[in-house]
């Protein structure tokens, strides 16, 4: 049973990798199930065995990818907590974790950002759900920071969480597309200074 489950997971990962690369390259509508199967090195029937349709595959891809991102952010925050660090330190660690994730999965990030602003897709509700999953992780740390008086009670937590999340996404994509000569340490340092100066300022 475990062996069968592991094989299915491995097949689904191959299909995810193939789909995200192809869709990022040529768009969702232009990508066919045959191409996904060929890129993944499996039979076309294998795609339909794992996913009822291309739409379902794409929705599951979004869920899978953002769950990985949310888990990375949570792990970064938990590690800081384990060391006794502040919630601002946790936010900074989450920024680094987000940059690391985007660096590892650039095609997935490009795809997510591109689809996020479209309103005519069948999976729009799924996009909202997966976005909320990632944003909630950031919101939780912000609420803890306010409770510890590390941040002012006046901050708008939902909007600030969205701003931080969006800052990392856009900055990382800009870095990879237009400033690839910069190191991840440089990008993190710039965003860290922005966090410390604009979000983590001294509470009055």
């Amino acid at each position: 049973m475990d062996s069968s489950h592991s094989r299915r997971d491995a097949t689904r990962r191959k299909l995810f990798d193939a789909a995200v690369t192809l869709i990022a390259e040529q768009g969702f509508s232009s990508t066919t199930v045959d191409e996904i199967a060929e890129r993944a090195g499996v039979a076309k029937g294998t795609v339909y065995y794992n996913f009822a349709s291309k739409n379902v595959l794409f929705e599951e891809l979004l869920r899978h990818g953002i769950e990985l991102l949310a888990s990375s952010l949570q792990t970064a925050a938990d590690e800081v907590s384990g060391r006794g660090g502040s919630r601002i330190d946790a936010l900074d660690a989450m920024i680094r974790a987000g940059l690391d994730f985007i660096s590892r999965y650039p095609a997935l990030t490009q795809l997510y950002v591109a689809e996020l602003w479209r309103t005519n897709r069948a999976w729009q509700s799924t996009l909202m759900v997966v976005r909320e999953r990632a944003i909630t992780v950031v919101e939780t740390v912000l609420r803890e920071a306010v409770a510890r008086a590390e941040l002012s009670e006046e901050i708008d937590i939902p909007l600030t969480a969205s701003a931080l999340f969006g800052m990392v996404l856009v900055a990382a994509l800009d870095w990879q597309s237009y400033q690839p000569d910069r190191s991840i340490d440089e990008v993190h340092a710039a965003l860290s200074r922005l966090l410390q100066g604009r979000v983590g300022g001294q509470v009055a």
Side-chain angles (χ1 to χ4, degrees), residues 16-163:
F16 283 149
D17 290 343
V20 72
T21 302
L22 285 166
I23 294 170
E25 288 175 354
Q26 57 194 34
F28 178 82
S29 298
S30 298
T31 299
T32 66
V33 171
D34 290 291
E35 289 174 320
I36 293 171
E38 182 179 358
R39 180 70 65 94
V42 301
K44 182 177 180 179
T46 301
V47 180
Y48 289 115
Y49 175 77
N50 286 273
F51 305 99
S53 66
K54 189 174 71 167
N55 276 8
V56 172
L57 167 58
F58 187 67
E59 288 191 57
E60 288 300 311
L61 169 63
L62 290 172
R63 290 182 185 277
H64 174 70
I66 299 303
E67 183 58 40
L68 286 177
L69 173 57
S71 296
S72 297
L73 298 179
Q74 188 65 64
T75 297
D78 290 345
E79 287 176 352
V80 171
S81 294
R83 298 194 301 269
S86 70
R87 295 296 77 197
I88 300 301
D89 290 335
L91 289 169
D92 187 57
M94 292 165 77
I95 287 175
R96 178 58 186 242
L99 291 173
D100 285 336
F101 179 89
I102 294 166
S103 181
R104 289 198 306 273
Y105 304 104
L108 175 62
T109 307
Q110 291 167 8
L111 193 56
Y112 171 75
V113 171
E115 292 297 325
L116 192 60
W117 305 113
R118 291 177 175 158
T119 58
N120 60 341
R121 297 297 204 189
W123 50 79
Q124 189 66 27
S125 60
T126 298
L127 277 170
M128 296 301 100
V129 170
V130 298
R131 173 190 172 279
E132 187 65 23
R133 170 73 179 96
I135 295 292
T136 297
V137 178
V138 184
E139 284 186 359
T140 298
V141 176
L142 286 170
R143 293 185 195 283
E144 292 170 352
V146 170
R148 296 183 184 189
E150 294 178 23
L151 292 176
S152 169
E153 294 181 356
E154 296 179 357
I155 72 166
D156 184 320
I157 289 176
L159 188 57
T160 302
S162 296

Side-chain angles (χ1 to χ4, degrees), residues 149-193:
E150 294 178 23
L151 292 176
S152 169
E153 294 181 356
E154 296 179 357
I155 72 166
D156 184 320
I157 289 176
L159 188 57
T160 302
S162 296
L164 288 172
F165 184 65
M167 175 183 75
V168 174
L169 287 178
V170 174
L173 290 178
D174 185 86
W175 157 46
Q176 295 187 335
S177 298
Y178 302 110
Q179 305 179 64
D181 54 315
R182 288 183 179 273
S183 70
I184 191 170
D185 290 332
E186 288 180 297
V187 178
H188 175 224
L191 298 186
S192 180
R193 283 191 291 270

